Amino acid sequence: MPHSSRRPRKPYHPKRVISESEDGWSRVERTAPTRHGNTPLVQEALPPVDRSLTLEKLLDEHKRCKQQWVNSEARRWLQQLLARQMTEGGWSLNKAVCVALGSPSLSWANRLRSVWQLVMFMDLIDMVRPNLKHGDELKLYAQEPRFTSLDREFLKSLDVLVLEQPRAEEIVDDASLIFIPCLEWVLELPFMLVAAKSPLYISSSMHWVAEEAERARYRLANDPEGSNRLQKDCDDALAASKTVLDTHHEHKMPEADFADGHSLAMTIYTLKHAEED
């Protein structure tokens, strides 16, 4: 990370507050920082909750998707990768944190994608749990501002504890498996700052993050009213993505296409062993 004479500052990340109306539609208020706290910046309307869904139906969908995932080439590839990359003695992990899963119960086109991503996250847990160092317990967490009450019930049934923002950013450390299917680079930044020591970091791509941060920095350079805070975030994201690439092996997962038209394509970052440094 670049050295600076300024006091280290935790980067600002837009917060999203969700309220549900009587007709099932959700309103999202994104906030921006001011001297007096956060003020509403943008209002977004989310799709309504799918009223046909129940906990039992979500569990059935999860089971069906898991059956397809278990038989996929991508899953076999992931199993082999983890077996090769595991350090002697097992994985040094005590928590697994899933961020930006999306809602499995909102009536929107990507609802099932959230189920697929959860299937992969839970299967990763099943793969690493038998190989934890010192018989550590692996606690599971998920954070997503769009979670509904049904989502929370669904995750609870899978022993996943739902966190409120920004709790996930506060609990991740070098003993965390971090799983981020897709997130704006500025929101992923606090996790990237920790990821340099994370044994397993699953994300879209550090190259994509660097490209997005570089584009944002270019726009700011041509904007006399550009934010110094965002400029700092751009610099931090570029440095953090480089650090992850320097400290981890990068493995692009084969894209998995499923019968319902959805697909998974993630990048797995495994921490380099000490003897490789």
Side-chain angles (χ1 to χ4, degrees):
M1 299 292 295
H3 294 286
S4 172
S5 59
R6 291 179 295 178
R7 181 179 299 175
R9 173 187 56 78
K10 184 176 180 180
Y12 165 76
H13 303 293
K15 294 179 175 60
R16 288 179 283 183
V17 181
I18 295 186
S19 58
E20 189 172 323
S21 62
E22 293 181 358
D23 60 3
W25 284 80
S26 297
R27 184 181 68 189
V28 182
E29 289 189 353
R30 302 185 67 177
T31 62
T34 71
R35 292 177 58 190
H36 307 289
N38 295 320
T39 58
L41 177 65
V42 178
Q43 290 189 359
E44 305 171 10
L46 288 180
V49 176
D50 188 333
R51 300 299 184 186
S52 69
L53 289 174
T54 62
L55 176 60
E56 290 72 23
K57 288 183 178 180
L58 277 178
L59 289 170
D60 285 344
E61 281 188 343
H62 185 270
K63 182 178 180 180
R64 176 182 62 80
C65 292
K66 183 175 181 179
Q67 288 173 341
Q68 288 191 59
W69 163 249
V70 165
N71 294 322
S72 70
E73 180 60 34
R75 199 258 187 175
R76 287 188 287 273
W77 173 89
L78 184 58
Q79 275 186 310
Q80 295 168 3
L81 171 69
L82 294 180
R84 292 196 309 270
Q85 294 296 316
M86 182 177 65
T87 58
E88 185 176 353
W91 296 101
S92 298
L93 295 166
N94 58 31
K95 64 177 73 71
V97 183
C98 177
V99 181
L101 178 68
S103 169
S105 68
L106 288 179
S107 181
W108 63 324
N110 287 325
R111 184 184 72 76
L112 271 179
R113 182 183 294 277
S114 298
V115 178
W116 280 112
Q117 290 170 165
L118 179 61
V119 164
M120 181 181 172
F121 174 68
M122 299 301 296
D123 197 39
L124 267 168
I125 305 309
D126 290 341
M127 291 180 191
V128 302
R129 253 188 178 140
N131 300 298
L132 295 176
K133 281 187 178 179
H134 317 301
D136 289 340
E137 180 185 359
L138 193 61
K139 296 181 180 179
L140 312 185
Y141 303 92
Q143 180 174 286
E144 164 59 65
R146 291 171 290 190
F147 280 153
T148 66
S149 57
L150 179 55
D151 295 332
R152 294 168 183 272
E153 186 182 6
F154 175 40
L155 289 163
K156 183 179 179 181
S157 73
L158 298 173
D159 295 322
V160 179
L161 178 64
V162 173
L163 301 173
E164 300 297 333
Q165 286 184 271
R167 184 67 177 137
E169 291 92 319
E170 297 169 352
I171 69 167
V172 290
D173 55 25
D174 57 7
S176 300
L177 182 160
I178 305 173
F179 184 90
I180 305 179
C182 186
L183 191 61
E184 296 174 39
W185 68 269
V186 74
L187 297 174
E188 188 171 349
L189 178 56
F191 302 98
M192 292 165 55
L193 295 173
V194 177
K197 295 184 179 180
S198 170
L200 275 171
Y201 187 77
I202 298 92
S203 180
S204 50
S205 168
M206 290 297 100
H207 300 290
W208 175 81
V209 167
E211 289 170 2
E212 290 298 304
E214 193 64 69
R215 288 191 190 98
R217 188 164 69 170
Y218 176 80
R219 289 193 296 268
L220 286 170
N222 292 277
D223 179 8
E225 303 298 325
S227 165
N228 290 333
R229 182 187 296 271
L230 184 55
Q231 178 70 59
K232 179 67 164 57
D233 285 346
C234 291
D235 294 341
D236 286 349
L238 288 166
S241 59
K242 183 180 184 304
T243 298
V244 173
L245 291 169
D246 288 344
T247 57
H248 288 66
H249 294 296
E250 182 181 45
H251 316 272
K252 189 170 179 58
M253 188 181 84
E255 188 165 348
D257 296 311
F258 301 106
D260 57 11
H262 287 82
S263 64
L264 290 174
M266 303 286 291
T267 306
I268 319 297
Y269 294 94
T270 56
L271 191 63
K272 293 179 180 178
H273 302 168
E275 59 272 19
E276 297 177 296
D277 293 338

